[in-house]
Amino acid sequence: MTPDIKPLVAGNWKMNGARDQLDQLALMSRGLDDELAAKVESAVCPPATLIYVATTLSEDTPLIVGAQDCHAEASGAHTGDISAEMIADCLGELCIVGHSERRTDHGETDASVLAKTVACWRAGLTAIVCIGETEAQYDAGEAEAVLSRQLAASVPDGAKETNTIIAYEPVWAIGTGKTPSPDDIASIHALLRDRLVERFGGPGERMRILYGGSVKPGNAAEILSILNVDGALVGGASLKAEDFLAICEVYRDV
Ligand code: PEP
């Protein structure tokens, strides 16, 4: 947590979920009472096929709906892609960009992630910019250098707390059940905060830095209590309303 920053728990459903998964979304929005919603923002990023119906279902509830990726262009000959404008048209408010699965599976680079972030801003979306080191880089002691480089090259000038959220996701912790030690998470998030403040000043102090990688109800309280961890990006555990809400509940009494 960081004093004066409202945390965010964002679920990334990845390529999971047909229409029946929306039952879980309805349960999530019902579980977010006003008291909890005052303490933590909550969001779900379903597959693109479900965005519009998800925003319709969560209308007038505290649950925010986002997307998992967008193209940098607003429209055009890009078969299979969706634009930030299309996400906004479906009433989505957030968009994850630069998730390590997209960097690996689709060859996305820091430059393309930066362009997608600009596209999010153009459409009025908040970008969740993901960065993270691989296991080999972590083992070689290169995490700080890699993350500093990714942060500098993936986040455009003009980033501020209202348009950008950073997600630190060690690649080796995603979907593996492994997490860095609390001390490691604390020192990486402190480093990221320093880099944001050096570059952006006051907005860098206020930007949220999420941790992602095997967050679940059993470890959420410990991870979310770390200074400069301003919420979580949650994959697997965001598919079940019970688990997602249990992670949000960590903030009820803090
Ligand atoms: C993710 O893919 O963003 C993620 C954090 O996944 P998981 O929580 O399943 O490790």
Side-chain angles (χ1 to χ4, degrees):
M1 299 196 72
T2 311
D4 301 327
I5 292 186
K6 187 170 184 181
L8 169 71
V9 175
N12 172 14
W13 284 3
K14 312 192 186 193
M15 197 171 73
N16 296 299
R19 283 177 295 156
D20 59 0
Q21 174 67 17
L22 294 166
D23 295 348
Q24 295 299 310
L25 185 129
L27 289 171
M28 289 173 190
S29 52
R30 259 182 261 142
L32 295 166
D33 57 70
D34 291 348
E35 189 193 10
L36 187 56
K39 300 273 183 75
V40 57
E41 278 185 4
S42 314
V44 168
C45 301
T49 47
L50 297 180
I51 292 174
Y52 185 58
V53 64
T55 58
T56 308
L57 269 175
S58 61
E59 204 182 351
D60 299 326
T61 81
L63 191 68
I64 297 167
V65 174
Q68 300 172 15
D69 179 49
C70 67
H71 196 278
E73 303 293 329
S75 63
H78 303 290
T79 303
D81 282 313
I82 60 169
S83 69
E85 280 76 1
M86 291 169 175
I87 296 162
D89 182 54
C90 290
L91 309 177
E93 295 177 49
L94 295 171
C95 184
I96 298 169
V97 292
H99 190 282
S100 63
E101 286 153 15
R102 294 214 53 95
R103 290 180 187 256
T104 305
D105 299 352
H106 299 271
E108 292 192 6
T109 61
D110 289 334
S112 62
V113 175
L114 182 140
K116 287 174 183 225
T117 305
V118 171
C120 288
W121 298 354
R122 186 185 64 219
L125 305 178
T126 298
I128 302 181
V129 181
C130 299
I131 57 173
E133 82 284 358
T134 63
E135 188 149 35
Q137 290 165 333
Y138 179 80
D139 290 343
E142 293 168 4
E144 297 200 352
V146 168
L147 293 166
S148 299
R149 206 166 53 232
Q150 289 181 347
L151 189 71
S154 304
V155 179
D157 289 341
K160 53 188 175 193
E161 67 276 21
T162 49
N163 63 18
T164 304
I165 296 165
I166 307 300
Y168 166 52
E169 300 207 300
V171 177
W172 52 273
I174 294 179
T176 60
K178 294 195 264 185
T179 56
S181 69
D183 283 352
D184 277 359
I185 296 176
S187 74
I188 294 291
H189 279 243
L191 169 95
L192 298 176
R193 176 69 65 207
D194 286 350
R195 295 279 178 274
L196 290 173
V197 174
E198 271 162 27
R199 182 164 166 210
F200 299 109
E205 276 168 23
R206 297 186 290 271
M207 241 181 267
R208 288 179 281 197
I209 309 174
L210 311 184
Y211 168 79
S214 297
V215 175
K216 43 188 189 267
N219 62 17
E222 183 175 38
I223 292 172
L224 298 177
S225 68
I226 297 170
L227 182 63
N228 290 309
V229 174
D230 308 313
L233 185 53
V234 184
S238 71
L239 290 167
K240 274 203 209 143
E242 191 184 346
D243 290 347
F244 181 77
L245 288 170
I247 295 168
C248 297
E249 284 289 339
V250 165
Y251 289 105
R252 188 180 291 278
D253 297 317
V254 293

